[in-house]
């Protein structure tokens, strides 16, 4: 079963041929000009359609019949480069997965016999609950089906219900963006975060608009883009929206981390951390940010101290979350990979490698690109040392093998 990692001109042509359509008819189905399709196919693998067109192609494939999807699978099976391991690609969307997406789209119709908004909200809750244990590879097909079903349903309901649907859709789109971020699909993640903002604006959900800015600031951390982290974190706190206290707390922490990365005085960093901790004590009544807990704050405070050049204090903060059992396997492994960098900078390379190896094992199980990225950064820090203990060499070998 072929997976669509990124749509290129080759996959677009395979889909057109699987549907048995001419270029003009295929263009009409996608809602684009025939010349656009011709350009894609002429460029082949050298062109990658825009993110919105990637989503249109996803939808076209999801709505294909089982026979058409099987043809597409056969046509694309010869397009994958030999030797490319699944861990190096985005989570796959197979023909079976696309069947689940189509089923979700069809299920949306029967929701109108009951509480359509409540049904979609419950589906999203269940997806988010299982995310940390199954990883993006398992969750993405269902998430794509959910946002597709919401989008389709929102086109056929009265205006007041449409706004409620789009409020749920904004959260589902942001969650889909998060899954792509964890999987390493940065272009797709940015697309779905922008879609979340658009739907939140249409729904009049100001708090969600501010929350997406926080999530964008967190994504900037993956690139260590401190200026972008800082301005987005400030925008999440200072915009026209009133975000819940815990969202504001996490944004304040994010600002503290950006300050540390930009070389601000430790006093400035700690002032924002103090502000975040004070806000964390107010749970508020909004469910946005409800998952932001003191143990998670401890992890993030550790990152602030590590970036501020205080690895020993970072390790003190890391110690405060170690006994907490509420983190998922994926999250705990991610935090261990970050803790490894603090240990390495504190002059404890063997312990850094030990926790890095533990994180590495989970990264493979849950297909988390973020964990692998942090482990590569950890290896870079460890490489600076004069000696290479056996545990460090094992980590080097494990990371290199991926």
């Amino acid at each position: 079963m072929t997976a669509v990692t990124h749509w290129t001109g080759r996959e677009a042509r395979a889909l057109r041929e699987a549907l048995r359509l001419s270029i003009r008819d295929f263009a009409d189905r996608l809602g684009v000009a025939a010349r656009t399709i011709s350009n894609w196919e002429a460029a082949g693998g050298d062109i990658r359609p825009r993110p919105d067109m990637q989503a249109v192609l996803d939808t076209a494939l999801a709505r294909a019949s089982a026979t058409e999807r099987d043809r597409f699978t056969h046509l694309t099976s010869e397009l994958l480069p030999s030797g490319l391991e699944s861990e190096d690609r985005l989570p796959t969307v197979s023909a079976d997965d696309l069947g689940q997406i189509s089923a979700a789209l069809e299920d949306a119709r029967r929701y109108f016999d009951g509480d359509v908004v409540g049904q979609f909200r419950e589906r999203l809750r269940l997806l988010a609950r299982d995310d940390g244990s199954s990883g993006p590879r398992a969750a993405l097909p269902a998430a794509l089906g959910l946002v597709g079903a919401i989008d389709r349903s929102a086109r056929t309901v009265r205006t007041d219900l449409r706004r409620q649907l789009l409020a749920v859709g904004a959260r589902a789109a942001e969650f889909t963006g998060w899954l792509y971020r964890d999987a390493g699909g940065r272009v797709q993640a940015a697309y779905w975060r922008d879609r979340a903002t658009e739907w939140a604006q249409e729904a009049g959900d100001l708090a969600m608009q501010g929350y997406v800015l926080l999530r964008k600031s967190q994504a900037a951390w993956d690139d260590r883009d401190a200026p972008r982290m800082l301005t987005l974190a400030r925008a999440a706190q200072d915009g026209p929206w009133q975000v819940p206290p815990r969202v504001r707390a996490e944004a304040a922490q994010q600002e503290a981390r950006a300050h540390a990365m930009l070389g601000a005085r430790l006093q400035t960093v700690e002032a924002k951390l103090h502000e975040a901790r004070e806000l964390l004590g107010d749970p508020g009544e909004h469910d946005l940010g409800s998952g932001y807990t003191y143990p998670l704050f401890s992890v993030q405070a550790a990152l602030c101290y590590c970036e501020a050049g205080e690895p020993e204090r970072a390790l003190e903060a890391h110690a405060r979350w170690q006994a907490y059992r509420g983190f998922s396997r994926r999250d705990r492994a991610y935090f261990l990979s970050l803790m490894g960098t603090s240990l390495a900078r504190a002059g404890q390379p063997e312990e850094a490698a030990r926790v890095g190896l533990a994180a590495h094992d989970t990264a493979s199980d849950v297909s988390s690109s973020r964990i692998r990225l942090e482990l590569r950064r950890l290896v870079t820090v460890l490489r600076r040392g004069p000696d290479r203990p056996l545990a460090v060499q094992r980590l080097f070998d494990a990371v290199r093998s991926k």
Side-chain angles (χ1 to χ4, degrees):
M1 291 180 289
T2 297
V4 178
T5 305
H6 299 291
W7 287 94
T8 71
R10 294 185 302 173
E11 287 79 23
R13 179 171 183 166
L15 178 57
R16 179 178 67 80
E17 292 179 351
L19 297 175
R20 303 282 171 82
L21 294 175
S22 68
I23 287 180
R24 184 172 299 279
D25 289 341
F26 186 53
D28 288 343
R29 179 170 296 196
L30 299 186
V32 301
R35 181 180 295 275
T36 298
I37 304 299
S38 296
N39 289 341
W40 288 352
E41 295 190 6
D46 294 330
I47 192 169
R48 186 176 295 178
R50 300 190 314 270
D52 57 332
M53 287 294 98
Q54 297 265 339
V56 169
L57 288 162
D58 284 341
T59 301
L61 183 52
R63 292 178 177 173
S65 68
T67 299
E68 290 166 339
R69 290 197 299 272
D70 286 343
R71 275 202 298 267
F72 176 78
T73 297
H74 175 73
L75 288 167
T76 55
S77 63
E78 300 176 355
L79 299 179
L80 295 176
S82 61
L84 183 62
E85 297 296 328
S86 61
E87 291 293 340
D88 296 325
R89 296 179 283 154
L90 290 180
T92 62
V93 181
S94 69
D96 286 347
D97 295 330
L98 289 166
Q100 296 177 27
I101 297 175
S102 297
L105 290 167
E106 292 304 316
D107 284 349
R109 297 177 179 175
R110 66 180 177 83
Y111 290 160
F112 290 96
D113 294 334
D115 177 11
V116 57
V117 177
Q119 291 278 0
F120 284 134
R121 188 179 291 120
E122 177 63 11
R123 280 195 169 210
L124 177 60
R125 185 189 71 79
L126 293 175
L127 279 175
R129 181 197 66 185
D130 297 337
D131 163 44
S133 59
S134 58
R137 190 179 303 277
L140 263 170
L144 289 167
L146 180 61
V147 291
I150 292 172
D151 186 29
R152 179 170 172 172
S153 300
R155 299 177 189 180
T156 60
V157 298
R158 63 183 188 272
T159 303
D160 59 333
L161 186 55
R162 173 180 168 81
R163 295 190 77 186
Q164 295 178 51
L165 272 175
L166 291 181
V168 179
R171 297 196 180 198
E174 190 283 316
F175 177 69
T176 303
W178 151 248
L179 291 175
Y180 271 119
R181 176 191 167 199
D182 193 30
R186 298 184 182 189
V187 173
Q188 295 89 338
Y191 168 79
W192 284 109
R193 285 192 295 266
D194 288 343
R195 175 59 66 90
T197 297
E198 176 187 333
W199 280 349
Q201 289 171 337
E202 191 171 347
D205 189 344
L206 285 175
M208 187 63 192
Q209 294 173 53
Y211 182 70
V212 173
L213 289 175
L214 168 61
R215 300 296 264 178
K216 288 185 175 185
S217 178
Q218 292 169 342
W221 158 256
D222 296 341
D223 296 326
R224 298 302 191 266
D225 187 345
R228 181 170 169 79
M229 285 173 61
L230 181 62
T231 53
L232 284 166
R234 284 177 170 170
Q237 298 170 80
D238 301 336
W241 32 77
Q242 289 294 318
V243 295
R246 293 200 174 190
V247 174
R248 189 175 181 85
E250 193 161 11
Q253 170 282 139
Q254 196 74 4
E255 182 179 342
R257 200 186 319 174
H259 281 309
M261 295 167 70
L262 292 169
R265 294 183 303 168
L266 185 60
Q267 182 179 4
T268 301
V269 175
E270 291 188 315
K272 290 303 295 187
L273 283 175
H274 177 75
E275 179 184 335
R277 187 175 181 85
E278 290 295 308
L279 287 165
L280 189 55
D282 181 358
E285 298 180 356
H286 205 293
D287 61 344
L288 270 182
S290 60
Y292 192 47
T293 60
Y294 283 108
L296 180 52
F297 171 78
S298 295
V299 175
Q300 295 175 335
L303 300 183
C304 292
Y305 283 119
C306 189
E307 293 296 334
E310 299 281 341
E312 296 291 347
R313 296 190 64 178
L315 291 176
E316 292 175 8
H318 274 299
R320 290 195 284 272
W321 65 265
Q322 294 294 295
Y324 180 65
R325 298 302 174 210
F327 292 133
S328 67
R329 285 182 67 223
R330 188 268 322 283
D331 289 348
R332 191 172 186 85
Y334 178 65
F335 301 151
L336 283 175
S337 70
L338 297 168
M339 180 179 172
T341 297
S342 295
L343 285 163
R345 290 178 176 171
Q348 301 182 48
E350 291 187 83
E351 185 64 13
R354 186 187 68 79
V355 299
L357 285 166
H360 178 270
D361 291 342
T362 301
S364 299
D365 292 341
V366 298
S367 62
S368 175
S369 175
R370 289 189 314 141
I371 299 174
R372 290 193 292 271
L373 175 62
E374 295 307 328
L375 289 175
R376 288 195 292 271
R377 289 188 169 121
L378 171 56
V379 163
T380 299
V381 175
L382 288 170
R383 187 175 288 121
R384 298 171 187 159
D387 300 315
R388 187 173 294 182
L390 179 59
V392 174
Q393 184 61 52
R394 287 179 58 208
L395 178 63
F396 277 28
D397 293 342
V399 171
R400 238 192 332 255
S401 70
K402 295 298 182 184

